[in-house]
Amino acid sequence: LTTRFEQLGDHADLDRAIAFHHEALELRPVGHPDRSSSLNNLAAALSTRFEQLGDCVDLNTAIALHHEDLELRPVGHPDCSSSLNNLANALSTRFKQLGDHADLDRAIELYHEAHELIPVGHANHSSSLNNLAVALSTRFEQFGDHADLERAIALHHEAPELHPVGAPDRSSSLNNLANALSTRFEQLGDHADLERAIALHHEALEL
């Protein structure tokens, strides 16, 4: 049903999928080995409906479900980093909607924890790095703390190294770093940042 909704956009399919996910969760009470999976499935469907209709009740419920899921996947669990990212993503979305800086701060903490758990070479290392860098850049835009911008730039510097020439995400990584350097140029006026940003954009265009 969720797949059909994604293809055809019929909200009745999404509503029905959410109802089924609710039923599945009720059949997997606390202690059930598959409860975490049901929590995530329901949270994902509710997040999708929030993106479509903008009802914050759906988003808040998804956040609560991700919180419970994280409690079931503590540090040491193989899926802990995934749960950290899921909750951080939902909190970041709520920050964009409501502007509560506590949500952004908590999202950054969670992204940092997730990034620490994912070793270089892991399939999700690059996306985790980017999530943290983007959140730090957002906080810099809100509060102007240059430490956040410097940290974001350092993280974006890592990304092209993880995406060598020929990698499908190299262009995106180059542009992210260039944008962060451009932001620093606008703040501090160091032309070296601007020149480097231009060079990175050129390289990205050639890919």
Side-chain angles (χ1 to χ4, degrees):
L1 286 169
T2 302
T3 301
R4 189 166 69 182
F5 165 75
E6 292 168 355
Q7 295 296 314
L8 303 178
D10 186 343
H11 287 281
D13 282 339
L14 181 57
D15 290 340
R16 189 66 180 135
I18 288 170
F20 280 130
H21 285 313
H22 267 294
E23 290 180 37
L25 183 59
E26 290 175 1
L27 294 173
R28 293 172 171 177
V30 174
H32 192 286
D34 294 323
R35 182 170 177 81
S36 179
S37 175
S38 288
L39 288 165
N40 272 307
N41 289 338
L42 177 55
L46 288 167
S47 293
T48 298
R49 190 166 68 182
F50 167 76
E51 291 166 5
Q52 296 294 314
L53 303 178
D55 186 343
C56 286
V57 172
D58 283 338
L59 180 57
N60 289 336
T61 302
I63 288 171
L65 293 165
H66 283 312
H67 267 294
E68 183 181 345
D69 173 58
L70 183 57
E71 291 175 359
L72 296 175
R73 294 174 170 181
V75 174
H77 190 287
D79 294 320
C80 180
S81 62
S82 175
S83 294
L84 288 164
N85 270 311
N86 288 340
L87 178 55
N89 288 338
L91 289 168
S92 293
T93 298
R94 190 167 68 182
F95 166 74
K96 293 171 187 174
Q97 293 296 314
L98 303 179
D100 185 344
H101 291 109
D103 282 339
L104 180 58
D105 290 341
R106 181 62 178 142
I108 288 171
E109 290 174 4
L110 293 163
Y111 282 137
H112 179 74
E113 290 179 45
H115 185 58
E116 292 291 307
L117 292 175
I118 301 175
V120 175
H122 190 283
N124 294 329
H125 182 80
S126 178
S127 62
S128 175
L129 180 154
N130 188 63
N131 287 340
L132 177 56
V134 168
L136 287 165
S137 294
T138 299
R139 190 166 68 182
F140 168 75
E141 292 165 4
Q142 295 293 315
F143 295 111
D145 185 343
H146 284 277
D148 283 337
L149 180 59
E150 294 299 330
R151 179 65 177 136
I153 289 171
L155 290 164
H156 283 311
H157 264 295
E158 289 182 44
E161 296 173 5
L162 299 172
H163 297 135
V165 175
D169 292 327
R170 183 169 176 79
S171 177
S172 175
S173 296
L174 292 169
N175 278 317
N176 288 339
L177 175 56
N179 290 336
L181 288 169
S182 294
T183 298
R184 189 166 69 183
F185 166 73
E186 292 166 2
Q187 296 294 315
L188 303 179
D190 185 342
H191 283 276
D193 282 338
L194 181 59
E195 293 299 325
R196 179 67 176 138
I198 291 170
L200 290 164
H201 281 311
H202 271 296
E203 183 180 346
L205 279 172
E206 293 172 357
L207 296 176

